[in-house]
Amino acid sequence: MINETVEEIQGMHSHSSSTIAIKATEALSELLDREYASVDEFELDLQRNAGALRRANPSHASLHNAVRAVERSVVDVTDTVADAKELTRETIDRVVDDIETGKRRAAEHAADTFEDGETFMTHDFSSTALAAVETAAQEGHYLDAYVMEARPRYIGRGTARMLSAIDRVEPHLIVDNAMGHYLAECDRVIIGLDCIVDDTLYNRVGTFPLAATANQLDVPVVAVGSGAKVIEEGFVFENQYRDPSEVMLEPVEGITIENPAYDATPVELIDTLITDTGVHDI
């Protein structure tokens, strides 16, 4: 389970950072079925596997914080393997519940900010932003959504498909380069976030030019996510550079293909941050 989860995270088969954090945390439950001669052996295995999960994607602050929380709550606390396993199980359940609760509350706060007939643009795939849109639509709001493809992996296409299944929401799928053309028709931009560290928002590559263009056109930018993704200390963001084949299947001699997964957006380009604690003007 842990090895499979590491491979899934590395392959970015799941696009939501909250979902990834939950899967990584729950993967540690595999250790509860293993036999250990001592509590030290159990704790060493817990630390080793937690480290492997963190290294699978060092850019994910929520993943980092979730598995760290399990380690810190368990290591050097109990005297027996049985007690360590019980504490690990309780901590996994608590951490997962905290992630799900933070995500749900952030989505609820964001849903309250929608107005009937609103048109928004979104980028990438944010399960929290999607939940907010769905809740607003269920409350009777009709919404138009412009969705960027989010090249090179076209994650935005999945967002558009999910939006198309929501009553009262009309999605428009656009190529990334068309964002400036359609922003003038939008009331605001709504995005998720991987994390905010030192006044910088890190999110799927393409977020920075979208926020900068929206700022130039006076279109408000709203970021939605759990407050746990706002990091004050203990985490250094590390960008991930994806396989060049995602950009060009056939390599060409003399061309270096760059494929960063994330970019850095100054928070000064973000007008509003919505988390589980409420709506915050920046």
Side-chain angles (χ1 to χ4, degrees):
M1 181 179 180
I2 292 175
N3 291 338
E4 290 82 355
T5 302
V6 167
E7 292 177 0
E8 181 176 350
I9 293 171
Q10 290 174 333
M12 295 179 72
H13 299 304
S14 179
H15 309 311
S16 166
S17 59
S18 297
T19 300
I20 290 172
I22 289 172
K23 287 186 176 182
T25 306
E26 291 180 334
L28 292 172
S29 63
E30 176 184 321
L31 306 182
L32 306 181
D33 296 325
R34 298 180 183 178
E35 296 296 329
Y36 298 94
S38 67
V39 67
D40 289 340
E41 184 181 342
F42 173 80
E43 291 177 353
L44 181 62
D45 202 25
L46 171 61
Q47 291 173 308
R48 181 169 59 248
N49 283 282
L53 288 163
R54 288 196 305 273
R55 290 190 299 274
N57 191 330
S59 65
H60 270 296
S62 49
L63 183 160
H64 173 94
N65 288 340
V67 295
R68 274 288 191 205
V70 177
E71 285 183 273
R72 290 170 177 167
S73 297
V74 175
V75 175
D76 294 330
V77 175
T78 61
D79 297 321
T80 68
V81 173
D83 288 344
K85 285 185 175 182
E86 181 179 358
L87 181 57
T88 300
R89 176 73 271 170
E90 293 173 354
T91 305
I92 289 172
D93 291 343
R94 174 179 57 79
V95 170
V96 169
D97 183 67
D98 287 346
I99 295 171
E100 292 177 337
T101 299
K103 174 180 175 179
R104 183 180 68 254
R105 289 178 177 171
E108 290 171 350
H109 289 310
D112 290 340
T113 68
F114 281 93
E115 297 182 1
D116 188 30
E118 179 178 343
T119 299
F120 66 91
M121 182 175 291
T122 192
H123 173 59
D124 188 34
F125 183 102
S126 167
S127 58
T128 307
L130 282 167
V133 172
E134 184 172 17
T135 299
Q138 289 173 344
E139 292 174 350
H141 296 320
Y142 286 86
L143 306 170
D144 280 343
Y146 283 89
V147 185
M148 296 165 58
E149 283 188 316
R151 280 211 67 200
R153 300 187 67 239
Y154 302 105
I155 297 171
R157 294 181 183 182
T159 299
R161 290 190 186 97
M162 293 191 71
L163 289 172
S164 70
I166 302 174
D167 290 340
R168 302 187 184 89
V169 177
E170 184 174 340
H172 307 259
L173 184 63
I174 63 173
V175 298
D176 293 356
N177 288 344
M179 64 176 177
H181 180 76
Y182 289 105
L183 266 172
E185 300 180 23
C186 299
D187 297 298
R188 59 177 174 168
V189 170
I190 301 175
I191 57 173
L193 64 145
D194 192 74
C195 62
I196 294 178
V197 183
D198 296 331
D199 295 328
T200 301
L201 182 147
Y202 296 97
N203 199 47
R204 186 74 57 203
V205 68
T207 301
F208 183 23
L210 172 59
T213 305
N215 186 262
Q216 179 66 30
L217 297 175
D218 292 325
V219 178
V221 179
V222 179
V224 183
S226 167
K229 295 181 178 180
V230 182
I231 313 300
E232 296 181 357
E233 61 181 2
F235 177 77
V236 178
F237 182 87
E238 296 181 34
N239 207 342
Q240 182 182 17
Y241 291 85
R242 305 286 302 163
D243 194 313
S245 65
E246 292 179 351
V247 178
M248 183 180 290
L249 287 175
E250 298 295 332
V252 177
E253 186 176 354
I255 298 178
T256 300
I257 298 174
E258 305 287 357
N259 187 18
Y262 306 94
D263 59 18
T265 302
V267 293
E268 64 190 41
L269 297 179
I270 309 300
D271 296 276
T272 305
L273 173 64
I274 303 177
T275 71
D276 45 302
T277 61
V279 180
H280 310 278
D281 293 329
I282 299 180

